[in-house]
Amino acid sequence: MAYDPSNIFARILRGEIPCQKVHETEHTLAFHDIRPQAPVHVLVIPKGAYVSWDDFSAKASDAEIAAFVRAVGDVARLVGVDASGYRLFANHGEHSHQEVPHLHVHITGGRPLGPLLTRP
Ligand code: 5GP
């Protein structure tokens, strides 16, 4: 899948639409999800144009990958869910119901999150 530069997170990165920023580095941006599914629901995205985990893991530089992994941990500590626990997930493609075609890791927490997956 080719990267679509009109996706909503690309527009956030270009400053065309606002976000509630939590954290930013040279390679990453983190902001609150607009429709939170838990008391803490933050999205961490790379600044590079990567559709999903599949694209990022294949094409990103080692520096981008290291920065992204580091940022996810840093953000979880920053929003205070490291002690109580949190769940990370990243949707890729059709079966995951990925909505926004720019890689993002969801950090969710702030309450017990229940079982991992439910059947449709
Ligand atoms: P996905 O299903 O692609 O893994 O998740 C996309 C997430 O992006 C959803 O949780 C949705 O609420 C969030 N989202 C969609 N549009 C916006 C937006 O304009 N701003 C923010 N902050 N989050 C958004």
Side-chain angles (χ1 to χ4, degrees):
M1 184 194 201
Y3 185 79
D4 173 6
S6 69
N7 79 76
I8 202 89
F9 294 168
R11 297 186 62 204
I12 286 175
L13 283 168
R14 290 195 296 268
E16 293 168 8
I17 58 170
C19 71
Q20 267 188 280
K21 186 162 82 175
V22 172
H23 183 264
E24 184 169 14
T25 70
E26 178 188 357
H27 292 298
T28 66
L29 179 68
F31 49 88
H32 291 284
D33 196 292
I34 206 166
R35 293 188 300 271
Q37 305 295 312
V40 171
H41 190 170
V42 175
L43 305 172
V44 187
I45 70 174
K47 288 185 174 174
Y50 302 103
V51 175
S52 70
W53 193 273
D54 184 65
D55 194 20
F56 184 71
S57 60
K59 296 182 191 152
S61 68
D62 289 354
E64 288 174 298
I65 291 171
F68 190 64
V69 173
R70 188 79 73 193
V72 171
D74 288 347
V75 171
R77 283 186 292 276
L78 193 63
V79 297
V81 291
D82 53 310
S84 51
Y86 56 87
R87 179 172 294 155
L88 306 178
F89 59 96
N91 291 319
H92 162 66
E94 185 187 346
H95 281 188
S96 74
H97 293 276
Q98 182 180 2
E99 175 190 329
V100 180
H102 181 114
L103 172 62
H104 46 286
V105 164
H106 298 251
I107 302 176
T108 53
R111 64 165 167 78
L113 294 167
L116 184 57
L117 296 173
T118 53
R119 289 186 177 276

PDB file of all heavy atoms in Angstrom, residues 12-32:
ATOM      1  N   ILE A  12      -1.672  16.221  10.867  1.00  0.00           N
ATOM      2  CA  ILE A  12      -1.248  16.659  12.216  1.00  0.00           C
ATOM      3  C   ILE A  12       0.247  16.978  12.193  1.00  0.00           C
ATOM      4  O   ILE A  12       0.686  18.015  12.709  1.00  0.00           O
ATOM      5  CB  ILE A  12      -1.593  15.576  13.268  1.00  0.00           C
ATOM      6  CG1 ILE A  12      -3.106  15.574  13.529  1.00  0.00           C
ATOM      7  CG2 ILE A  12      -0.810  15.792  14.564  1.00  0.00           C
ATOM      8  CD1 ILE A  12      -3.598  14.476  14.468  1.00  0.00           C
ATOM      9  N   LEU A  13       1.043  16.112  11.580  1.00  0.00           N
ATOM     10  CA  LEU A  13       2.496  16.341  11.522  1.00  0.00           C
ATOM     11  C   LEU A  13       2.832  17.630  10.789  1.00  0.00           C
ATOM     12  O   LEU A  13       3.795  18.320  11.146  1.00  0.00           O
ATOM     13  CB  LEU A  13       3.195  15.158  10.835  1.00  0.00           C
ATOM     14  CG  LEU A  13       3.372  13.910  11.694  1.00  0.00           C
ATOM     15  CD1 LEU A  13       3.805  12.716  10.835  1.00  0.00           C
ATOM     16  CD2 LEU A  13       4.384  14.143  12.808  1.00  0.00           C
ATOM     17  N   ARG A  14       2.050  17.977   9.776  1.00  0.00           N
ATOM     18  CA  ARG A  14       2.306  19.219   9.029  1.00  0.00           C
ATOM     19  C   ARG A  14       1.725  20.441   9.738  1.00  0.00           C
ATOM     20  O   ARG A  14       1.858  21.558   9.249  1.00  0.00           O
ATOM     21  CB  ARG A  14       1.710  19.118   7.607  1.00  0.00           C
ATOM     22  CG  ARG A  14       2.446  18.144   6.694  1.00  0.00           C
ATOM     23  CD  ARG A  14       2.064  18.348   5.224  1.00  0.00           C
ATOM     24  NE  ARG A  14       0.666  18.073   4.948  1.00  0.00           N
ATOM     25  CZ  ARG A  14       0.171  16.891   4.557  1.00  0.00           C
ATOM     26  NH1 ARG A  14       0.987  15.869   4.395  1.00  0.00           N
ATOM     27  NH2 ARG A  14      -1.121  16.733   4.325  1.00  0.00           N
ATOM     28  N   GLY A  15       1.043  20.219  10.863  1.00  0.00           N
ATOM     29  CA  GLY A  15       0.467  21.342  11.617  1.00  0.00           C
ATOM     30  C   GLY A  15      -0.819  21.873  11.018  1.00  0.00           C
ATOM     31  O   GLY A  15      -1.284  22.958  11.392  1.00  0.00           O
ATOM     32  N   GLU A  16      -1.417  21.096  10.106  1.00  0.00           N
ATOM     33  CA  GLU A  16      -2.643  21.560   9.444  1.00  0.00           C
ATOM     34  C   GLU A  16      -3.871  21.397  10.339  1.00  0.00           C
ATOM     35  O   GLU A  16      -4.854  22.115  10.183  1.00  0.00           O
ATOM     36  CB  GLU A  16      -2.858  20.793   8.126  1.00  0.00           C
ATOM     37  CG  GLU A  16      -1.807  21.114   7.086  1.00  0.00           C
ATOM     38  CD  GLU A  16      -1.829  20.167   5.904  1.00  0.00           C
ATOM     39  OE1 GLU A  16      -2.754  19.340   5.785  1.00  0.00           O
ATOM     40  OE2 GLU A  16      -0.899  20.260   5.092  1.00  0.00           O
ATOM     41  N   ILE A  17      -3.818  20.393  11.233  1.00  0.00           N
ATOM     42  CA  ILE A  17      -4.879  20.249  12.222  1.00  0.00           C
ATOM     43  C   ILE A  17      -4.230  20.036  13.587  1.00  0.00           C
ATOM     44  O   ILE A  17      -3.112  19.508  13.675  1.00  0.00           O
ATOM     45  CB  ILE A  17      -5.886  19.120  11.891  1.00  0.00           C
ATOM     46  CG1 ILE A  17      -5.174  17.792  11.758  1.00  0.00           C
ATOM     47  CG2 ILE A  17      -6.683  19.405  10.641  1.00  0.00           C
ATOM     48  CD1 ILE A  17      -6.159  16.646  11.688  1.00  0.00           C
ATOM     49  N   PRO A  18      -4.919  20.455  14.648  1.00  0.00           N
ATOM     50  CA  PRO A  18      -4.295  20.413  15.974  1.00  0.00           C
ATOM     51  C   PRO A  18      -4.316  19.017  16.593  1.00  0.00           C
ATOM     52  O   PRO A  18      -5.070  18.139  16.163  1.00  0.00           O
ATOM     53  CB  PRO A  18      -5.177  21.372  16.785  1.00  0.00           C
ATOM     54  CG  PRO A  18      -6.500  21.351  16.109  1.00  0.00           C
ATOM     55  CD  PRO A  18      -6.261  21.066  14.657  1.00  0.00           C
ATOM     56  N   CYS A  19      -3.485  18.839  17.599  1.00  0.00           N
ATOM     57  CA  CYS A  19      -3.543  17.636  18.428  1.00  0.00           C
ATOM     58  C   CYS A  19      -3.172  18.052  19.840  1.00  0.00           C
ATOM     59  O   CYS A  19      -2.601  19.118  20.059  1.00  0.00           O
ATOM     60  CB  CYS A  19      -2.586  16.557  17.915  1.00  0.00           C
ATOM     61  SG  CYS A  19      -0.840  16.948  18.183  1.00  0.00           S
ATOM     62  N   GLN A  20      -3.517  17.190  20.775  1.00  0.00           N
ATOM     63  CA  GLN A  20      -3.119  17.399  22.176  1.00  0.00           C
ATOM     64  C   GLN A  20      -1.795  16.691  22.389  1.00  0.00           C
ATOM     65  O   GLN A  20      -1.753  15.506  22.720  1.00  0.00           O
ATOM     66  CB  GLN A  20      -4.172  16.812  23.113  1.00  0.00           C
ATOM     67  CG  GLN A  20      -5.229  17.784  23.567  1.00  0.00           C
ATOM     68  CD  GLN A  20      -6.074  17.120  24.648  1.00  0.00           C
ATOM     69  OE1 GLN A  20      -6.966  16.326  24.336  1.00  0.00           O
ATOM     70  NE2 GLN A  20      -5.791  17.416  25.900  1.00  0.00           N
ATOM     71  N   LYS A  21      -0.728  17.424  22.156  1.00  0.00           N
ATOM     72  CA  LYS A  21       0.619  16.826  22.163  1.00  0.00           C
ATOM     73  C   LYS A  21       1.044  16.408  23.570  1.00  0.00           C
ATOM     74  O   LYS A  21       0.835  17.135  24.534  1.00  0.00           O
ATOM     75  CB  LYS A  21       1.623  17.822  21.592  1.00  0.00           C
ATOM     76  CG  LYS A  21       3.007  17.259  21.423  1.00  0.00           C
ATOM     77  CD  LYS A  21       3.858  18.094  20.485  1.00  0.00           C
ATOM     78  CE  LYS A  21       4.469  19.280  21.184  1.00  0.00           C
ATOM     79  NZ  LYS A  21       5.381  20.024  20.296  1.00  0.00           N
ATOM     80  N   VAL A  22       1.676  15.238  23.638  1.00  0.00           N
ATOM     81  CA  VAL A  22       2.181  14.703  24.910  1.00  0.00           C
ATOM     82  C   VAL A  22       3.708  14.711  24.920  1.00  0.00           C
ATOM     83  O   VAL A  22       4.342  14.913  25.945  1.00  0.00           O
ATOM     84  CB  VAL A  22       1.666  13.254  25.105  1.00  0.00           C
ATOM     85  CG1 VAL A  22       2.313  12.579  26.305  1.00  0.00           C
ATOM     86  CG2 VAL A  22       0.145  13.224  25.241  1.00  0.00           C
ATOM     87  N   HIS A  23       4.314  14.489  23.743  1.00  0.00           N
ATOM     88  CA  HIS A  23       5.767  14.252  23.683  1.00  0.00           C
ATOM     89  C   HIS A  23       6.199  14.399  22.228  1.00  0.00           C
ATOM     90  O   HIS A  23       5.440  14.071  21.318  1.00  0.00           O
ATOM     91  CB  HIS A  23       6.018  12.822  24.182  1.00  0.00           C
ATOM     92  CG  HIS A  23       7.438  12.378  24.272  1.00  0.00           C
ATOM     93  ND1 HIS A  23       8.066  11.656  23.277  1.00  0.00           N
ATOM     94  CD2 HIS A  23       8.346  12.490  25.263  1.00  0.00           C
ATOM     95  CE1 HIS A  23       9.299  11.356  23.662  1.00  0.00           C
ATOM     96  NE2 HIS A  23       9.498  11.852  24.853  1.00  0.00           N
ATOM     97  N   GLU A  24       7.433  14.881  22.036  1.00  0.00           N
ATOM     98  CA  GLU A  24       7.936  15.000  20.664  1.00  0.00           C
ATOM     99  C   GLU A  24       9.447  14.821  20.667  1.00  0.00           C
ATOM    100  O   GLU A  24      10.137  15.285  21.581  1.00  0.00           O
ATOM    101  CB  GLU A  24       7.587  16.379  20.088  1.00  0.00           C
ATOM    102  CG  GLU A  24       8.004  16.537  18.636  1.00  0.00           C
ATOM    103  CD  GLU A  24       7.426  17.789  17.970  1.00  0.00           C
ATOM    104  OE1 GLU A  24       6.918  18.668  18.696  1.00  0.00           O
ATOM    105  OE2 GLU A  24       7.519  17.881  16.730  1.00  0.00           O
ATOM    106  N   THR A  25       9.961  14.111  19.664  1.00  0.00           N
ATOM    107  CA  THR A  25      11.411  14.007  19.456  1.00  0.00           C
ATOM    108  C   THR A  25      11.677  14.279  17.977  1.00  0.00           C
ATOM    109  O   THR A  25      10.744  14.497  17.187  1.00  0.00           O
ATOM    110  CB  THR A  25      11.947  12.598  19.801  1.00  0.00           C
ATOM    111  OG1 THR A  25      11.482  11.661  18.809  1.00  0.00           O
ATOM    112  CG2 THR A  25      11.506  12.142  21.186  1.00  0.00           C
ATOM    113  N   GLU A  26      12.941  14.206  17.610  1.00  0.00           N
ATOM    114  CA  GLU A  26      13.309  14.405  16.196  1.00  0.00           C
ATOM    115  C   GLU A  26      12.527  13.461  15.280  1.00  0.00           C
ATOM    116  O   GLU A  26      12.124  13.838  14.185  1.00  0.00           O
ATOM    117  CB  GLU A  26      14.823  14.134  16.045  1.00  0.00           C
ATOM    118  CG  GLU A  26      15.330  14.265  14.627  1.00  0.00           C
ATOM    119  CD  GLU A  26      16.780  13.807  14.464  1.00  0.00           C
ATOM    120  OE1 GLU A  26      17.402  13.432  15.491  1.00  0.00           O
ATOM    121  OE2 GLU A  26      17.255  13.808  13.317  1.00  0.00           O
ATOM    122  N   HIS A  27      12.283  12.231  15.752  1.00  0.00           N
ATOM    123  CA  HIS A  27      11.679  11.210  14.882  1.00  0.00           C
ATOM    124  C   HIS A  27      10.258  10.827  15.249  1.00  0.00           C
ATOM    125  O   HIS A  27       9.658  10.008  14.538  1.00  0.00           O
ATOM    126  CB  HIS A  27      12.524   9.932  14.921  1.00  0.00           C
ATOM    127  CG  HIS A  27      13.874  10.070  14.282  1.00  0.00           C
ATOM    128  ND1 HIS A  27      14.047  10.376  12.954  1.00  0.00           N
ATOM    129  CD2 HIS A  27      15.129   9.945  14.804  1.00  0.00           C
ATOM    130  CE1 HIS A  27      15.331  10.425  12.671  1.00  0.00           C
ATOM    131  NE2 HIS A  27      16.011  10.177  13.776  1.00  0.00           N
ATOM    132  N   THR A  28       9.723  11.346  16.350  1.00  0.00           N
ATOM    133  CA  THR A  28       8.422  10.844  16.833  1.00  0.00           C
ATOM    134  C   THR A  28       7.541  11.971  17.367  1.00  0.00           C
ATOM    135  O   THR A  28       8.033  13.023  17.787  1.00  0.00           O
ATOM    136  CB  THR A  28       8.609   9.825  17.984  1.00  0.00           C
ATOM    137  OG1 THR A  28       9.172  10.490  19.121  1.00  0.00           O
ATOM    138  CG2 THR A  28       9.506   8.674  17.574  1.00  0.00           C
ATOM    139  N   LEU A  29       6.238  11.696  17.366  1.00  0.00           N
ATOM    140  CA  LEU A  29       5.265  12.601  17.988  1.00  0.00           C
ATOM    141  C   LEU A  29       4.246  11.729  18.729  1.00  0.00           C
ATOM    142  O   LEU A  29       3.860  10.661  18.229  1.00  0.00           O
ATOM    143  CB  LEU A  29       4.545  13.428  16.907  1.00  0.00           C
ATOM    144  CG  LEU A  29       3.479  14.406  17.388  1.00  0.00           C
ATOM    145  CD1 LEU A  29       4.114  15.557  18.183  1.00  0.00           C
ATOM    146  CD2 LEU A  29       2.686  14.977  16.196  1.00  0.00           C
ATOM    147  N   ALA A  30       3.831  12.176  19.918  1.00  0.00           N
ATOM    148  CA  ALA A  30       2.796  11.456  20.679  1.00  0.00           C
ATOM    149  C   ALA A  30       1.714  12.449  21.079  1.00  0.00           C
ATOM    150  O   ALA A  30       2.005  13.591  21.458  1.00  0.00           O
ATOM    151  CB  ALA A  30       3.404  10.812  21.926  1.00  0.00           C
ATOM    152  N   PHE A  31       0.461  11.998  20.971  1.00  0.00           N
ATOM    153  CA  PHE A  31      -0.671  12.869  21.287  1.00  0.00           C
ATOM    154  C   PHE A  31      -1.848  12.022  21.757  1.00  0.00           C
ATOM    155  O   PHE A  31      -1.912  10.811  21.479  1.00  0.00           O
ATOM    156  CB  PHE A  31      -1.061  13.737  20.074  1.00  0.00           C
ATOM    157  CG  PHE A  31      -1.222  12.975  18.789  1.00  0.00           C
ATOM    158  CD1 PHE A  31      -2.434  12.396  18.438  1.00  0.00           C
ATOM    159  CD2 PHE A  31      -0.139  12.814  17.923  1.00  0.00           C
ATOM    160  CE1 PHE A  31      -2.580  11.693  17.250  1.00  0.00           C
ATOM    161  CE2 PHE A  31      -0.269  12.087  16.725  1.00  0.00           C
ATOM    162  CZ  PHE A  31      -1.491  11.537  16.397  1.00  0.00           C
ATOM    163  N   HIS A  32      -2.789  12.674  22.454  1.00  0.00           N
ATOM    164  CA  HIS A  32      -3.955  11.954  22.962  1.00  0.00           C
ATOM    165  C   HIS A  32      -4.877  11.547  21.813  1.00  0.00           C
ATOM    166  O   HIS A  32      -5.117  12.334  20.884  1.00  0.00           O
ATOM    167  CB  HIS A  32      -4.729  12.837  23.952  1.00  0.00           C
ATOM    168  CG  HIS A  32      -3.988  13.072  25.236  1.00  0.00           C
ATOM    169  ND1 HIS A  32      -3.895  12.115  26.225  1.00  0.00           N
ATOM    170  CD2 HIS A  32      -3.284  14.143  25.677  1.00  0.00           C
ATOM    171  CE1 HIS A  32      -3.169  12.590  27.229  1.00  0.00           C
ATOM    172  NE2 HIS A  32      -2.785  13.818  26.924  1.00  0.00           N
TER     173      HIS A  32
END
